[in-house]
Amino acid sequence: MWLIFKKEFKELLRDRKTIIFMIVLPLLLFPLIFGVAMFFMNSAAEKAENVVLKYAIVGEQYAPDMSQQFANETDKFTMVDIQGEADYAKLIKDETLDFVLVIPETFNNEVLTSGQHKLQLYLNDAGLNKVLGRVSEIVDVYTDEFQKTAFANLGLNESQQQALLAPIVIEKENIADDREVWGERLGGLLPYFIFILCLQGAMAPASDLGAGEKERGTLETLLISPIERYKLVLGKFFTIGVAGLITALITVSSMAIWGIVLSQGLAIEFVAEVMAMIGIIDFVLIFLMLIPVVAIFAAVLLSLSIYARSFKEAQSYMGALVMVVVFPVLIAMMPGVKLEGGWIWVPLTNVALAMKELFKGTMDYFALFGIFTSTVAIAAALIAFCVYWFNKEKVLFR
């Protein structure tokens, strides 16, 4: 068995494509994904803030000061004249306008007598143009002035004004610390990337050790050797498993290293705060939980590779497996799903939930026994099935 493992692993290290999936992608993919995502998010937000919005005001004679304020903001707004009873929706969909503000003829600052004013804002709210927020910046100024005028007429002091505006106020006292807050927001994404990278790292060698052997015609030579079948399977399994574990180790290490580089070297405050919250023990536990997960991936991938007639067919089966892996992680990201009760025994979902809890700092360490037990049991069953599968001639020589 170890002879087979040694042989297969040496050949694995000679494969450039496998090295890319095992080392290069985990080492560079995490910072690249987050870096590109942050860049585009910041670029989109900055573009939305700086774009000059084309607008029209209907009934501007009823609020000349407000209309003039829009006209003065030339770096933010450009007025477009529209004729008669125009189709506002069509103009906005055609991108002739970004918004239309309709001011009623009853608009005035005597809100005590005229009542509440309702301005109609026509816009396409599907994009990131922030129309409502930018229009509100100007309208809110007049809202505050109208309130002050009404309060002055009523003779209310500041305390009475606040009580009238907000008779009841809920003061939120968040008992969760910053680590728990950010762990809830970001911890759900962690297992998504780790699982996919571990699967990708094991996928390349698995395709070669089963379907690849069939295509090269070396499987028959291997089968007539004096080594028992189960040892052949275990040798290949450990090769795939080690490849996946190397990917897992590099992935977790990459997270820690790049977090330190970004927080210390580049002095990024947010990253520094997050990295200060997570201890080295948490990273070690995340890696240890990945060992039986990688074993599950290795057993399933080897079974698929043994069944496939060709390398291409094996790749097709394994591509579909990605969706199977993603689904349990998505369940862990759903609101209300916590690491308690039956979820401790649900494969993959339990590990994803545990990673999030470790990230949050709220891990119930006794739950780790249930997670390891269930995951190891499933991995052992799949390895046994893989040995059984390899012993069936009709599977090997389809």
Side-chain angles (χ1 to χ4, degrees), residues 128-266:
L128 297 175
N129 47 29
K130 298 186 177 181
V131 170
L132 180 60
R134 292 170 67 175
V135 172
S136 296
E137 288 178 4
I138 293 178
V139 175
D140 286 348
V141 173
Y142 294 89
T143 300
D144 294 339
E145 290 182 359
F146 289 4
Q147 286 177 349
K148 290 177 181 178
T149 300
F151 291 151
N153 292 336
L154 292 172
L156 301 178
N157 59 36
E158 185 175 349
S159 177
Q160 291 171 324
Q161 293 175 21
Q162 293 297 325
L164 187 61
L165 290 173
I168 300 175
V169 176
I170 298 176
E171 293 185 352
K172 184 175 69 172
E173 295 290 340
N174 188 4
I175 61 171
D177 55 21
D178 290 339
R179 175 176 180 178
E180 190 171 348
V181 172
W182 285 111
E184 183 65 33
R185 296 176 182 176
L186 303 177
L189 298 174
L190 183 68
Y192 179 84
F193 292 111
I194 291 181
F195 281 16
I196 295 299
L197 286 174
C198 290
L199 186 63
Q200 289 286 346
M203 198 177 289
S207 301
D208 185 67
L209 294 181
E213 293 268 17
K214 289 184 180 181
E215 283 195 343
R216 293 191 299 269
T218 57
L219 182 61
E220 291 83 353
T221 305
L222 194 63
L223 290 174
I224 62 175
S225 65
I227 302 175
E228 296 178 63
R229 288 276 182 100
Y230 80 91
K231 292 183 178 180
L232 293 175
V233 178
L234 292 179
K236 292 177 179 292
F237 165 79
F238 281 119
T239 303
I240 300 168
V242 168
L245 284 177
I246 291 174
T247 305
L249 180 59
I250 293 176
T251 300
V252 177
S253 301
S254 174
M255 290 168 51
I257 292 170
W258 280 103
I260 293 171
V261 170
L262 291 174
S263 61
Q264 302 297 328
L266 301 181

Side-chain angles (χ1 to χ4, degrees), residues 244-316:
L245 284 177
I246 291 174
T247 305
L249 180 59
I250 293 176
T251 300
V252 177
S253 301
S254 174
M255 290 168 51
I257 292 170
W258 280 103
I260 293 171
V261 170
L262 291 174
S263 61
Q264 302 297 328
L266 301 181
I268 299 178
E269 185 178 353
F270 165 71
V271 180
E273 291 177 358
V274 173
M275 289 303 299
M277 300 172 188
I278 307 171
I280 188 66
I281 299 299
D282 298 318
F283 282 107
V284 172
L285 288 174
I286 288 173
F287 173 71
L288 291 177
M289 281 192 296
L290 287 175
I291 294 176
V293 171
V294 169
I296 290 175
F297 291 164
V300 173
L301 290 171
L302 184 56
S303 298
L304 292 174
S305 185
I306 291 169
Y307 180 76
R309 293 188 180 93
S310 63
F311 190 90
K312 185 177 180 181
E313 184 179 342
Q315 290 288 320
S316 300

Side-chain angles (χ1 to χ4, degrees), residues 362-383:
T362 57
M363 183 68 200
D364 179 7
Y365 292 97
F366 288 103
L368 288 177
F369 293 104
I371 294 171
F372 274 110
T373 301
S374 60
T375 311
V376 169
I378 293 170
L382 288 172
I383 294 169

Side-chain angles (χ1 to χ4, degrees), residues 183-192 326-340 343 346 348-350 352-354 356-357 360:
E184 183 65 33
R185 296 176 182 176
L186 303 177
L189 298 174
L190 183 68
Y192 179 84
V326 167
F327 182 69
V329 180
L330 293 179
I331 293 177
M333 295 170 64
M334 294 172 61
V337 179
K338 298 180 180 180
L339 189 63
E340 56 187 22
W343 290 113
V346 178
L348 299 185
T349 301
N350 54 6
L353 288 170
K356 184 166 72 170
E357 294 297 321
K360 290 167 59 178

